[in-house]
Amino acid sequence: MSLIRVHDKTFEPYLTAGQIASAIQSLADQLNLDYAGKKPLFIAVLNGSFMFASDLFKKLTIESEICFIKLASYKGTKSSGHVITVIGLDIDLIHRHLVIIEDIVDTGKTLDQFLPQLQYQQPASLKICALLHKPEATVHPIKIDYLGFTIPNKFVVGYGLDYDGLGRNIPEIYRLTE
Ligand code: IMP
């Protein structure tokens, strides 16, 4: 693997497709054990998590469901700041075992705003499964129950993650050189 250009920036190889695949297998092994008989509902957060969710879901051998949602962020009133609305969540969550599938937890702001909306619907349990976590970028601490990789605070692209719309199709993960 060598350097790539996306828009105006240069990225270097960081995680290979093989490393990603084996991390996903380990996550799936754990989920298969923890959720056997619980018929969990996986909630994948679009757009970034589509590739991760697809590969992870293929490795699950237990009875489980998946749905895909989008979070739309808009400026609310001055007092409420950014408000997040959930698009596409049309399944009853009460008494369900929920697992959120995220591509990356960066500042934690997205999940910090989104999780209370799920808790409100009284699920039986609520856990987070993320492929990547940048602990140095944390503003809102989030407990990640199932994690692929802890990474430094550098912008990454590939495997579903984009830089201004591009790079999602790259099968590996690259990181910004500068
Ligand atoms: P948070 O709310 O700051 O945790 O940001 C979460 C979202 O920001 C992720 O779901 C990504 O869509 C996006 N994001 C954060 N860091 C990166 C990155 O390094 N590359 C691409 N997207 C990122």
Side-chain angles (χ1 to χ4, degrees):
M1 295 204 292
S2 48
L3 297 181
I4 57 161
R5 291 285 287 177
V6 181
H7 290 299
D8 55 335
K9 302 218 182 300
T10 306
F11 293 82
E12 63 190 3
Y14 185 50
L15 296 170
T16 64
Q19 286 173 302
I20 297 167
S22 65
I24 288 175
Q25 186 62 64
S26 306
L27 290 172
D29 290 345
Q30 196 58 52
L31 289 162
N32 284 328
L33 283 176
D34 294 352
Y35 286 92
K38 293 184 172 172
K39 213 194 279 183
L41 171 63
F42 290 85
I43 302 179
V45 183
L46 295 173
N47 292 327
S49 75
F50 76 96
M51 222 178 253
F52 173 44
S54 164
D55 286 346
L56 180 70
F57 203 61
K58 278 183 274 183
K59 299 290 179 191
L60 296 179
T61 51
I62 51 169
E63 211 182 11
S64 50
E65 288 180 50
I66 190 165
C67 69
F68 296 84
I69 59 154
K70 254 193 128 147
L71 300 177
S73 169
Y74 61 93
K75 273 254 190 246
T77 61
K78 254 193 192 143
S79 56
S80 58
H82 270 286
V83 180
I84 286 195
T85 33
V86 183
I87 301 167
L89 195 55
D90 49 10
I91 300 176
D92 208 357
L93 305 184
I94 192 163
H95 303 151
R96 295 297 306 265
H97 292 281
L98 309 181
V99 183
I100 311 300
I101 304 183
E102 261 284 27
D103 52 352
I104 183 166
V105 178
D106 187 25
T107 64
K109 188 175 160 196
T110 310
L111 287 179
D112 187 61
Q113 296 192 3
F114 170 49
L115 294 180
Q117 298 188 36
L118 294 181
Q119 290 286 16
Y120 181 73
Q121 298 189 51
Q122 301 181 331
S125 66
L126 176 56
K127 304 265 173 169
I128 311 293
C129 175
L131 181 64
L132 306 171
H133 181 215
K134 292 182 190 166
E136 293 157 25
T138 301
V139 177
H140 306 274
I142 298 287
K143 181 172 178 275
I144 303 174
D145 305 281
Y146 301 91
L147 177 65
F149 302 92
T150 297
I151 64 168
N153 194 8
K154 275 198 174 183
F155 195 81
V156 289
V157 291
Y159 198 71
L161 291 142
D162 74 310
Y163 165 45
D164 205 7
L166 295 183
R168 293 194 198 275
N169 53 316
I170 301 165
E172 305 86 21
I173 292 177
Y174 284 72
R175 72 177 180 189
L176 200 58
T177 49
E178 59 259 37

